Amino acid sequence: MVDALGVAVVGFGWMGRVHTQAYARVAHHFPGLPLRPELVTVAEEVPGRAEEAAAQFGFASTTREWRDVAADPRVRAVSITAPNFLHREIGVAMAEAGKHIWIEKPVGLTAEDARAVADAVAKAGVQGAVGFNYRNAPAVEAARELIASGGIGRVTHARVRLFSDYAAHPESALTWRYERERGGSGVLGDLASHGADLARFLLGDIASLTADTAIFLPERTRPAGATAGHSRATGGELGAVENEDYVSCLLRFASGARGVLEACRVSVGEQNNYGFEVHGTQGAVFWDFRRMNELGVSRGTGYQDQPVSTVYVGPGDGEFGAFQPGAANAMGYDDLKVIEAYRFLRSVAEGVPYGATLADAVRGATVLDAMVRSARDRAWVTVDAPA
């Protein structure tokens, strides 16, 4: 018996589209899932965008007001893909209305915001999933198992990097992303949030850190109208960029391992250069998102001149088998969101969380808050323990 689950998408920019496509594909890759998402409604304040979404993907209705979604009895689960500054208000309201939520990171602008949504979800007894998509890559899950099993010995140090050029053009429009009040801490919330989650996913909690931040493009042009994605604007009034383009951070893990996390949104020549290197006393493991289905693995007792082998993930690694029949067949970014949708819907069906949860969002947000404090005070700071 397969039950229908009415779902809604709030905010239909690029990420809203990705969520919708994941709902459309999830049954094809995970036919045993006892729930089938039905696209009930899409909420988007930009005129015409919701109607375009309905025409393309088959939403039964549209609205420009997200509060209509909270009041809609047909909706049992909601994807929240609106701008970051709206995450807390929408997330709390949807949970209080009894809706399960799949919400994009960083779940608000601060750890306080993330905790408010997590508390609302817990109080309402609904499920909450968070869009930390990179941890869903089968190669990342294989790396985690290798590390946990002692396959590279005791972890000594690691590096996590997230470099992109999406904001590198000097004509990039001054959207909400560059405002402190609506975009929070800039690249920290956008890219470093993924880095903090990957670091924790692989190596456990971060105990303390010291960070440095910078704004490299201090002014951008205010857009004349509605924008989508990373639009450009020319000839208009210039305004100040209020939040960070770059962050570098030294990490001390609770395990005693050391780490480096670095993220930048204005790295000319870098397109989605995301990945990690984890070193241990008997080996190392390397991952590059641009070669998502590969791992570099060095293991053994050679210590010096020990080679690195390329390992292709395959069935048996994470959810790879739901997409491809054998190793070295490529998966892509959107597939990670299908995995995320599957784990969210499975959580709803079974009442048990699978995948990244709001507790993970809170822990990650405490790391980001610590980075902000450290950069401000120019000091090592302790990462707050879970409440």
Side-chain angles (χ1 to χ4, degrees), residues 45-261:
E45 66 178 8
V46 176
R49 192 179 287 175
E51 289 73 18
E52 291 175 5
Q56 182 174 2
F57 294 103
F59 287 95
S61 61
T62 67
T63 180
R64 292 182 63 181
E65 175 53 67
W66 64 260
R67 291 174 181 82
D68 294 341
V69 176
D72 193 332
R74 300 172 300 167
V75 175
R76 294 174 56 199
V78 181
S79 279
I80 301 172
T81 56
N84 298 349
F85 65 95
L86 296 172
H87 285 188
R88 176 175 180 165
E89 183 181 11
I90 296 174
V92 170
M94 294 302 172
E96 290 178 345
K99 319 293 188 187
H100 305 284
I101 64 172
W102 175 13
I103 186 169
E104 276 304 311
K105 58 81 203 168
V107 190
L109 304 182
T110 63
E112 181 184 354
D113 287 348
R115 192 171 290 110
V117 179
D119 289 346
V121 164
K123 185 177 180 180
V126 296
Q127 295 297 316
V130 182
F132 289 125
N133 39 265
Y134 299 110
R135 64 157 61 192
N136 297 325
V140 173
E141 295 190 297
R144 186 185 193 221
E145 291 182 7
L146 176 66
I147 293 165
S149 69
I152 61 171
R154 176 177 53 83
V155 172
T156 54
H157 62 284
R159 176 174 177 254
V160 181
R161 70 186 186 282
L162 297 106
F163 298 142
S164 182
D165 64 357
Y166 69 78
H169 202 290
E171 294 178 359
S172 295
L174 187 70
T175 65
W176 60 267
R177 294 179 182 277
Y178 304 103
E179 299 174 1
R180 182 74 61 184
E181 185 176 351
R182 298 195 295 167
S185 54
V187 75
L188 276 73
D190 193 12
L191 294 181
S193 58
H194 283 300
D197 183 68
L198 280 174
R200 290 188 56 253
F201 185 68
L202 294 168
L203 304 176
D205 281 335
I206 297 165
S208 61
L209 56 81
T210 185
D212 183 39
T213 62
I215 298 173
F216 295 134
L217 295 177
E219 290 186 322
R220 298 180 186 270
T221 302
R222 299 186 188 280
T227 60
H230 305 291
S231 303
R232 295 183 189 174
T234 58
E237 177 188 358
L238 292 177
V241 172
E242 299 174 350
N243 55 24
E244 295 82 353
D245 288 329
Y246 170 85
V247 61
S248 62
C249 189
L250 298 178
L251 309 171
R252 292 174 180 165
F253 291 88
S255 67
R258 298 301 196 261
V260 177
L261 190 159

Side-chain angles (χ1 to χ4, degrees), residues 12-13 20 37 61 101 142 157 207 228 242-243 289 320 324 337 350 385:
F12 206 81
T20 302
S61 61
I101 64 172
H157 62 284
E242 299 174 350
N243 55 24
F289 170 65
F320 186 94
Q324 300 294 348
K337 286 306 204 186
E350 299 181 18

Side-chain angles (χ1 to χ4, degrees), residues 302-316:
Y303 301 107
Q304 293 179 313
D305 302 323
Q306 186 164 286
V308 177
S309 300
T310 298
V311 177
Y312 297 101
V313 295

Side-chain angles (χ1 to χ4, degrees), residues 127-128 343 346-348 350-357:
Q127 295 297 316
R343 291 174 173 170
R346 185 180 177 189
S347 298
V348 172
E350 299 181 18
V352 177
Y354 292 94
T357 66

